[in-house]
PDB file of all heavy atoms in Angstrom:
ATOM      1  N   ARG G 137       1.654  26.977  27.399  1.00 92.00           N
ATOM      2  CA  ARG G 137       2.601  27.690  26.568  1.00 92.00           C
ATOM      3  C   ARG G 137       3.931  27.779  27.313  1.00 92.00           C
ATOM      4  O   ARG G 137       3.965  28.191  28.467  1.00 92.00           O
ATOM      5  CB  ARG G 137       2.070  29.103  26.267  1.00 92.00           C
ATOM      6  CG  ARG G 137       2.904  29.873  25.292  1.00 92.00           C
ATOM      7  CD  ARG G 137       2.241  31.203  25.003  1.00 92.00           C
ATOM      8  NE  ARG G 137       0.959  31.057  24.323  1.00 92.00           N
ATOM      9  CZ  ARG G 137       0.338  32.064  23.694  1.00 92.00           C
ATOM     10  NH1 ARG G 137       0.878  33.270  23.673  1.00 92.00           N
ATOM     11  NH2 ARG G 137      -0.806  31.869  23.115  1.00 92.00           N
ATOM     12  N   ILE G 138       4.993  27.336  26.674  1.00 94.00           N
ATOM     13  CA  ILE G 138       6.282  27.263  27.360  1.00 94.00           C
ATOM     14  C   ILE G 138       7.272  28.201  26.680  1.00 94.00           C
ATOM     15  O   ILE G 138       7.365  28.235  25.457  1.00 94.00           O
ATOM     16  CB  ILE G 138       6.819  25.824  27.369  1.00 94.00           C
ATOM     17  CG1 ILE G 138       5.891  24.951  28.216  1.00 94.00           C
ATOM     18  CG2 ILE G 138       8.244  25.777  27.889  1.00 94.00           C
ATOM     19  CD1 ILE G 138       6.266  23.499  28.249  1.00 94.00           C
ATOM     20  N   SER G 139       7.968  28.948  27.464  1.00 93.00           N
ATOM     21  CA  SER G 139       8.938  29.899  26.934  1.00 93.00           C
ATOM     22  C   SER G 139      10.288  29.640  27.596  1.00 93.00           C
ATOM     23  O   SER G 139      10.458  29.854  28.773  1.00 93.00           O
ATOM     24  CB  SER G 139       8.447  31.316  27.234  1.00 93.00           C
ATOM     25  OG  SER G 139       9.504  32.233  27.068  1.00 93.00           O
ATOM     26  N   LEU G 140      11.225  29.129  26.801  1.00 95.00           N
ATOM     27  CA  LEU G 140      12.555  28.787  27.336  1.00 95.00           C
ATOM     28  C   LEU G 140      13.617  29.568  26.597  1.00 95.00           C
ATOM     29  O   LEU G 140      13.747  29.457  25.382  1.00 95.00           O
ATOM     30  CB  LEU G 140      12.822  27.278  27.205  1.00 95.00           C
ATOM     31  CG  LEU G 140      14.204  26.795  27.628  1.00 95.00           C
ATOM     32  CD1 LEU G 140      14.541  27.210  29.046  1.00 95.00           C
ATOM     33  CD2 LEU G 140      14.311  25.292  27.500  1.00 95.00           C
ATOM     34  N   GLN G 141      14.344  30.352  27.345  1.00 94.00           N
ATOM     35  CA  GLN G 141      15.381  31.186  26.747  1.00 94.00           C
ATOM     36  C   GLN G 141      16.680  30.960  27.512  1.00 94.00           C
ATOM     37  O   GLN G 141      16.704  31.030  28.731  1.00 94.00           O
ATOM     38  CB  GLN G 141      14.953  32.648  26.837  1.00 94.00           C
ATOM     39  CG  GLN G 141      16.004  33.612  26.366  1.00 94.00           C
ATOM     40  CD  GLN G 141      15.608  35.035  26.754  1.00 94.00           C
ATOM     41  OE1 GLN G 141      14.422  35.386  26.793  1.00 94.00           O
ATOM     42  NE2 GLN G 141      16.586  35.851  27.060  1.00 94.00           N
ATOM     43  N   ILE G 142      17.738  30.647  26.778  1.00 94.00           N
ATOM     44  CA  ILE G 142      19.021  30.374  27.413  1.00 94.00           C
ATOM     45  C   ILE G 142      20.067  31.325  26.899  1.00 94.00           C
ATOM     46  O   ILE G 142      20.408  31.305  25.717  1.00 94.00           O
ATOM     47  CB  ILE G 142      19.447  28.905  27.151  1.00 94.00           C
ATOM     48  CG1 ILE G 142      18.391  27.933  27.705  1.00 94.00           C
ATOM     49  CG2 ILE G 142      20.814  28.629  27.753  1.00 94.00           C
ATOM     50  CD1 ILE G 142      18.727  26.462  27.518  1.00 94.00           C
ATOM     51  N   GLU G 143      20.516  32.183  27.793  1.00 92.00           N
ATOM     52  CA  GLU G 143      21.634  33.048  27.414  1.00 92.00           C
ATOM     53  C   GLU G 143      22.918  32.261  27.582  1.00 92.00           C
ATOM     54  O   GLU G 143      23.119  31.623  28.614  1.00 92.00           O
ATOM     55  CB  GLU G 143      21.661  34.300  28.304  1.00 92.00           C
ATOM     56  CG  GLU G 143      20.462  35.214  28.073  1.00 92.00           C
ATOM     57  CD  GLU G 143      20.381  36.290  29.134  1.00 92.00           C
ATOM     58  OE1 GLU G 143      21.315  37.097  29.226  1.00 92.00           O
ATOM     59  OE2 GLU G 143      19.371  36.324  29.866  1.00 92.00           O
ATOM     60  N   ALA G 144      23.761  32.269  26.570  1.00 93.00           N
ATOM     61  CA  ALA G 144      24.940  31.418  26.597  1.00 93.00           C
ATOM     62  C   ALA G 144      26.093  32.041  25.827  1.00 93.00           C
ATOM     63  O   ALA G 144      25.892  32.905  24.978  1.00 93.00           O
ATOM     64  CB  ALA G 144      24.606  30.045  26.001  1.00 93.00           C
ATOM     65  N   THR G 145      27.289  31.575  26.139  1.00 93.00           N
ATOM     66  CA  THR G 145      28.451  32.006  25.375  1.00 93.00           C
ATOM     67  C   THR G 145      28.712  30.976  24.279  1.00 93.00           C
ATOM     68  O   THR G 145      28.379  29.812  24.412  1.00 93.00           O
ATOM     69  CB  THR G 145      29.683  32.130  26.274  1.00 93.00           C
ATOM     70  OG1 THR G 145      29.894  30.872  26.924  1.00 93.00           O
ATOM     71  CG2 THR G 145      29.504  33.213  27.298  1.00 93.00           C
ATOM     72  N   CYS G 146      29.309  31.450  23.228  1.00 90.00           N
ATOM     73  CA  CYS G 146      29.540  30.602  22.055  1.00 90.00           C
ATOM     74  C   CYS G 146      30.909  29.937  22.169  1.00 90.00           C
ATOM     75  O   CYS G 146      31.944  30.616  22.234  1.00 90.00           O
ATOM     76  CB  CYS G 146      29.477  31.492  20.813  1.00 90.00           C
ATOM     77  SG  CYS G 146      29.945  30.658  19.316  1.00 90.00           S
ATOM     78  N   ASP G 147      30.933  28.601  22.190  1.00 89.00           N
ATOM     79  CA  ASP G 147      32.205  27.884  22.368  1.00 89.00           C
ATOM     80  C   ASP G 147      33.161  28.137  21.217  1.00 89.00           C
ATOM     81  O   ASP G 147      34.365  28.284  21.434  1.00 89.00           O
ATOM     82  CB  ASP G 147      31.919  26.372  22.481  1.00 89.00           C
ATOM     83  CG  ASP G 147      31.128  26.044  23.737  1.00 89.00           C
ATOM     84  OD1 ASP G 147      31.144  26.869  24.688  1.00 89.00           O
ATOM     85  OD2 ASP G 147      30.486  24.984  23.770  1.00 89.00           O
TER      86      ASP G 147
END
Side-chain angles (χ1 to χ4, degrees):
Chain G
R137 186 176 295 196
I138 294 177
S139 165
L140 175 55
Q141 175 191 327
I142 300 181
E143 293 170 62
T145 55
C146 172
D147 295 339

